[in-house]
């Protein structure tokens, strides 16, 4: 581009004159020589060779049609269909009056008739052809993304709006994102990443050429496609995704697509793509889903989420959040024994009723609100341990959940410390459940944090063990105090021997680490007995009790004390 502008500023442009007649070449060259640098070719084959090797430096080709070897018509065809040569304008030399239209139809920029017109006319035609071609390159380059040749975002929206005005037909907005593209760059280098993006761009280009429509690269690894609405789109998407993913060949790279189909409302095109983008973002970490429609259901969920986020602060002040307690029983002896509890939060919403944490915790983890809520729960739980000690004369340790977001908060240790001392409880009685998937985020930093917590006396339970991807290597090198098996394994433990074997193996791992195992999600006596048989120490689940509000949990403690 810079080079192009410099050339426009008056530096010499190079013109290739192709004619088998020496005299004709020289005459034409003479007319143009003070203004341009002239090079010559005596037939089409030589000209093609020069054009290919010097394509960046040739501003114009003046071409005679009748020549031996490769004739002018064939050469013109080659140039017009070659994507790298196409931008070079060609002026055709013709002695046949009336063949002008034919030349222009073949893609010539202009024509000059033999014998030549006055030199000023020839020069004017040459200058105009070069200028037009250079302007169109500039326009092309400002509209396009250099890497893929697709539109850039600005022009994409501009042309999209025009398309809407002209056609006024329903359109589908698709956003294509590549999952974890930064890893591709890191593993294989940026140059390879660029090749992937180019290939993906080509496939997308093919698609919009077939269906009609527009496409752009909106940012690094995100593409927008705007195509006429297709009722069958959902059915066609898996095939489309498969086709597009071919560009990733042997690599385990995948894409995800968010879609917003025009439903006749008056929203502008940018909004359509906002929605499609959000639909794509919502499946970011879902490895089993590759596309997602932004429909009314999605919209409702978004509004609900927004409302919960907005109301969280007030709900905390109004005490709408309730901490429930679910008992954990030691099953190693003859009679199961209540040994501790897990604190689980619920939102008693004035309008929606009891909302489960599965709905709001992920939202709050996303925007940092979780920390406030967790602090509330930890405080409540610590206060509860003390109250029960005073009421019943016994210490029942309570586990609280520590979100993965909290783990990396540098003030975590101080805050937990002040919570236990304020409530006069021992740090080992407020046990900390940290989900397994948090362990893989940044293992060095993580281990350091865990070390600090344990040093202060806190006990660490690895929650949902088996749901993440920690390797045996990671697990065996960790400092933890309790291993808590993921519920999924317990679900089919009685019907599926593979599952019971897996649980057995995990219990062996726990033995190796010399830590007790908690199985959660135990719903039947059969499950409980099987777990006891294979050596599980502690059980939590509906079989014994659901999570209970404080007064009901207290009744349970009383029963336990009376039974002793
Ligand atoms: P989790 O820590 O793995 O908690 C266990 C979940 O299993 C709880 O769901 C509990 O009610 C449920 N459960 C217990 N026994 C059974 C059973 O026998 N069958 C079945 N089907 N489910 C059982 P809940 O209370 O809905 O909590 C869901 C998740 O939300 C928790 O999973 C935890 O990750 C998170 N969570 C709950 N409270 C808090 C909190 O205060 N802070 C944070 N950061 N996360 C929390
Ligand atoms: Mg838990
Ligand atoms: Mg769990």
């Amino acid at each position: 581009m810079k080079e192009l502008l410099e050339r426009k500023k008056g530096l010499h442009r190079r013109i290739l004159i192709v004619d088998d007649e020496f005299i004709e070449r020289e005459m034409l060259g003479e007319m143009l020589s003070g203004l341009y640098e002239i090079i010559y070719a005596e037939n089409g084959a030589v000209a093609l060779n020069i054009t290919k090797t010097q394509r960046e430096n040739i501003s114009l080709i003046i071409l005679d049609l009748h020549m031996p070897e490769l004739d002018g018509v064939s050469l013109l065809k080659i140039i017009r269909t070659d994507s790298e040569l196409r931008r070079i304008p060609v002026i055709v030399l013709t002695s046949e009056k009336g063949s002008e239209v034919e030349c222009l139809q073949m893609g010539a920029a202009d024509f000059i008739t033999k014998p030549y017109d006055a030199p000023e006319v020839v020069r004017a035609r040459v200058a105009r052809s070069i200028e037009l071609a250079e302007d169109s390159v500039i326009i092309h380059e400002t509209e396009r993304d250099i890497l893929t040749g697709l539109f850039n975002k600005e022009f994409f929206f501009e042309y999209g709006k025009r398309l809407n005005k002209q056609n006024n037909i329903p359109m589908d907005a698709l956003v294509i994102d590549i999952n974890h593209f930064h890893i591709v760059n890191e593993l294989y280098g940026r140059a390879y990443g660029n090749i992937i993006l180019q290939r993906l761009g080509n496939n997308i280009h093919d698609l919009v050429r077939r269906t009609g429509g527009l496409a752009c690269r909106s940012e690094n690894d995100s593409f927008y496609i705007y195509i006429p609405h297709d009722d069958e789109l959902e059915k066609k998407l898996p095939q489309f995704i498969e086709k597009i993913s071919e560009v990733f060949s042997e690599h385990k790279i995948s894409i995800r697509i968010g879609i917003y189909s025009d439903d006749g409302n008056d929203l502008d095109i940018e909004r359509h793509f906002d929605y499609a983008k959000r639909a794509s973002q919502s499946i970011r970490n879902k490895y089993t889903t590759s596309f997602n429609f932004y429909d009314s259901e999605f919209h409702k969920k978004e509004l609900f989420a927004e409302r919960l986020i907005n109301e969280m602060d007030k709900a905390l002040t109004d005490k709408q959040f309730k901490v429930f307690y679910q008992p954990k029983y030691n099953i190693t002896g003859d009679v199961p024994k209540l040994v501790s509890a897990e604190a689980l939060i619920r939102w008693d919403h004035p309008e929606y009723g009891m909302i489960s944490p599965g709905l709001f915790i992920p939202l709050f983890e996303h925007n940092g609100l979780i920390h406030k809520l967790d602090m509330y729960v930890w405080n409540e739980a610590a206060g509860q341990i003390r109250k029960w000690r005073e009421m019943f004369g016994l210490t029942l340790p309570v586990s609280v959940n520590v979100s993965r977001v909290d783990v990396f908060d540098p003030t975590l240790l101080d805050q937990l410390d002040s919570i236990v001392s304020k409530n006069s409880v021992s740090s080992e009685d407020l046990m900390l459940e940290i989900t397994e998937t948090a362990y893989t985020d940044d293992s060095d930093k993580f281990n350091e944090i865990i070390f600090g917590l344990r040093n202060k006396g806190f006990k660490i339970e690895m929650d949902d063990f088996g749901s993440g991807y920690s390797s045996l290597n990671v697990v065996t090198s960790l400092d933890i105090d309790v291993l808590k098996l993921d519920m999924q394994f317990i679900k089919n433990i009685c019907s599926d021997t593979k599952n019971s074997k897996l649980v057995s193996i995990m219990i062996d791992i726990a033995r190796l680490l010399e830590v007790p195992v908690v199985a959660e999600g135990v719903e039947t006596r059969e499950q409980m007995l099987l777990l006891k048989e294979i050596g599980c120490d502690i059980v939590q689940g509906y079989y014994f009790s659901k999570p209970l509000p404080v007064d009901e949990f207290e009744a349970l403690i009383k029963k336990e004390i009376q039974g002793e």
Side-chain angles (χ1 to χ4, degrees):
M1 183 79 156
K2 193 168 150 241
E3 189 189 320
L4 198 81
L5 290 175
E6 270 174 10
R7 274 197 269 145
K8 282 203 98 176
K9 268 189 255 156
L11 292 175
H12 274 318
R13 294 175 181 83
R14 189 175 293 168
I15 295 178
L16 171 64
I17 297 178
V18 193
D19 200 322
D20 55 328
E21 302 275 350
F22 176 77
I23 300 287
E24 305 270 354
R25 285 201 306 266
E26 287 297 314
M27 267 172 64
L28 201 53
E30 192 59 29
M31 281 186 214
L32 301 167
S33 62
L35 301 165
Y36 304 96
E37 183 191 338
I38 311 292
I39 51 174
Y40 301 95
E42 65 274 16
N43 63 46
V46 175
L48 181 59
N49 192 23
I50 296 177
T51 311
K52 280 191 169 162
T53 50
Q54 303 189 29
R55 63 172 184 273
E56 299 295 332
N57 303 321
I58 294 178
S59 298
L60 176 74
I61 298 172
I62 303 181
L63 181 65
D64 183 27
L65 289 186
H66 304 289
M67 289 182 298
E69 299 273 334
L70 185 63
D71 66 64
V73 176
S74 312
L75 181 61
L76 182 59
K77 265 193 199 144
I78 293 173
I79 292 174
R80 302 314 304 163
T81 49
D82 184 314
S83 63
E84 300 205 309
L85 306 180
R86 202 163 37 206
R87 62 149 201 97
I88 306 174
V90 177
I91 292 183
V92 159
L93 296 172
T94 170
S95 46
E96 295 154 31
K97 295 276 174 219
S99 63
E100 296 92 339
V101 176
E102 210 182 315
C103 298
L104 297 174
Q105 277 171 346
M106 280 189 322
D110 205 347
F111 57 88
I112 294 173
T113 48
K114 290 184 190 178
Y116 301 128
D117 293 319
E120 308 85 70
V121 177
V122 170
R123 284 185 206 123
R125 299 201 126 168
V126 164
R128 203 183 60 109
S129 291
I130 292 177
E131 192 170 328
L132 280 178
E134 288 180 353
D135 283 350
S136 90
V137 170
I138 291 172
I139 290 173
H140 185 86
E141 289 189 356
T142 46
E143 285 179 347
R144 303 279 165 165
D145 163 48
I146 299 168
L147 188 67
T148 59
L150 297 175
F151 283 117
N152 60 37
K153 198 161 153 187
E154 199 186 348
F155 280 90
F156 171 79
F157 282 140
E158 191 55 46
Y159 285 119
K161 279 172 201 163
R162 265 191 230 171
L163 202 70
N164 285 349
K165 262 197 203 130
Q166 283 162 5
N167 294 351
N168 199 21
I169 54 166
M171 301 288 283
D172 291 330
L174 283 72
V175 170
I176 299 187
D177 289 305
I178 305 179
N179 291 315
H180 307 293
F181 188 65
H182 63 281
I183 295 180
V184 177
N185 278 335
E186 273 165 38
L187 284 181
Y188 307 106
R190 286 193 79 85
Y192 183 78
N194 284 348
I195 293 175
I196 293 269
L197 292 173
Q198 270 166 343
R199 288 191 199 152
L200 188 59
N202 282 342
N203 275 2
I204 289 173
H205 197 217
D206 277 354
L207 173 84
V208 292
R209 212 171 17 220
R210 267 184 284 121
T211 54
L214 304 165
C216 80
R217 182 161 79 114
S218 73
E219 58 217 286
N220 308 334
D221 55 344
S222 187
F223 293 83
Y224 288 3
I225 301 178
Y226 199 47
I227 44 177
H229 175 67
D230 181 351
D231 278 337
E232 308 268 276
L233 182 64
E234 190 164 354
K235 251 198 251 162
K236 292 177 182 166
L237 273 174
Q239 207 188 344
F240 170 58
I241 289 172
E242 197 177 324
K243 169 96 190 59
I244 272 204
S245 304
E246 277 172 12
V247 305
F248 304 129
S249 54
E250 71 274 22
H251 305 298
K252 294 242 169 304
I253 304 172
S254 60
I255 57 164
R256 58 176 196 276
I257 305 186
I259 307 110
Y260 180 81
S261 286
D262 189 356
D263 50 10
N265 62 32
D266 259 348
L267 296 175
D268 51 34
I269 176 170
E270 282 98 339
R271 189 74 82 85
H272 290 193
F273 280 92
D274 261 5
Y275 285 157
K277 182 86 191 168
R278 265 141 66 183
S280 161
Q281 265 159 354
S282 74
I283 50 168
R284 194 179 200 138
N285 293 317
K286 297 197 176 134
Y287 295 91
T288 47
T289 321
S290 51
F291 62 85
N292 192 21
F293 280 81
Y294 188 106
D295 49 17
S296 56
E297 194 60 30
F298 190 101
H299 188 63
K300 250 201 259 161
K301 264 197 222 155
E302 271 203 329
L303 290 181
F304 178 65
E306 213 167 298
R307 205 171 148 190
L308 296 189
I309 290 167
N310 288 336
E311 292 180 5
M312 187 262 191
D313 256 331
K314 187 170 179 316
L316 256 183
T317 337
D318 292 356
K319 300 231 171 256
Q320 287 172 22
F321 287 103
K322 304 271 171 359
V323 182
F324 277 40
Y325 295 86
Q326 188 175 32
K328 297 184 190 179
Y329 286 87
N330 186 318
I331 55 165
T332 51
D334 291 341
V335 184
K337 189 173 175 330
L338 175 66
V339 284
S340 60
E342 177 174 7
L344 292 157
I345 187 87
R346 268 99 188 89
W347 186 342
D348 191 2
H349 193 278
E351 197 176 312
Y352 300 122
M354 212 54 104
I355 310 176
S356 119
L359 282 177
F360 57 83
I361 297 279
L363 296 178
F364 295 169
E365 281 182 335
H366 219 69
N367 52 31
L369 288 175
I370 187 68
H371 186 63
K372 227 173 173 179
L373 189 65
D374 274 349
M375 290 267 286
Y376 173 78
V377 177
W378 303 339
N379 241 314
E380 287 284 302
Q384 206 57 68
I385 297 172
R386 196 189 63 194
K387 265 187 227 149
W388 287 336
R389 193 176 59 207
E390 287 163 359
M391 275 172 85
F392 304 111
L394 57 85
T395 301
L396 198 69
V398 173
S399 310
V400 292
N401 288 285
V402 178
S403 156
R404 81 192 68 202
V405 184
D406 301 321
V407 176
F408 293 98
D409 177 348
T411 62
L412 176 72
L413 184 56
D414 288 345
Q415 278 167 342
L416 280 168
D417 217 22
S418 92
I419 286 174
V420 288
S421 56
K422 197 173 73 193
N423 289 287
S424 322
V425 298
S426 156
S427 53
E428 66 187 29
D429 295 329
L430 189 71
M431 309 210 307
L432 309 177
E433 289 195 10
I434 305 178
T435 186
E436 184 204 338
T437 48
Y439 284 70
T440 39
D441 286 353
D442 176 353
S443 53
D444 285 346
K445 181 95 191 102
F446 192 86
N447 283 343
E448 192 187 312
I449 295 164
I450 298 293
F451 181 82
L453 289 167
R454 294 186 81 230
N455 217 18
K456 280 271 178 185
F458 290 99
K459 299 266 182 264
I460 310 292
E461 297 191 43
M462 188 195 251
D463 202 355
D464 312 316
F465 178 62
S467 67
Y469 303 95
S470 19
S471 65
L472 276 183
N473 196 13
V474 170
V475 175
T476 46
S477 64
L478 279 175
D479 284 334
I480 51 167
D481 300 282
V482 180
L483 202 61
K484 200 166 178 190
L485 303 184
D486 190 51
M487 246 187 270
Q488 292 310 315
F489 297 106
I490 312 302
K491 217 170 169 183
N492 305 314
I493 194 173
C494 294
S495 53
D496 185 346
T497 47
K498 236 198 241 156
N499 263 317
S500 58
K501 275 192 190 136
L502 264 176
V503 172
S504 257
I505 291 170
M506 292 192 269
I507 290 175
D508 284 344
I509 294 173
R511 276 214 191 97
L512 188 79
L513 298 173
E514 298 177 342
V515 297
V517 177
V518 179
E520 66 181 326
V522 177
E523 296 186 350
T524 65
R525 183 174 160 78
E526 216 188 340
Q527 289 170 337
M528 191 269 289
L529 290 175
L530 182 61
L531 284 161
K532 185 180 161 111
E533 195 184 310
I534 53 183
C536 175
D537 311 282
I538 297 165
V539 154
Q540 173 185 350
Y542 296 171
Y543 170 66
F544 286 112
S545 167
K546 290 197 165 185
L548 301 171
V550 173
D551 53 344
E552 287 179 42
F553 194 87
E554 284 168 358
L556 200 92
I557 303 179
K558 276 184 204 148
K559 224 171 82 191
E560 180 81 11
I561 296 172
Q562 282 157 10
E564 272 178 357

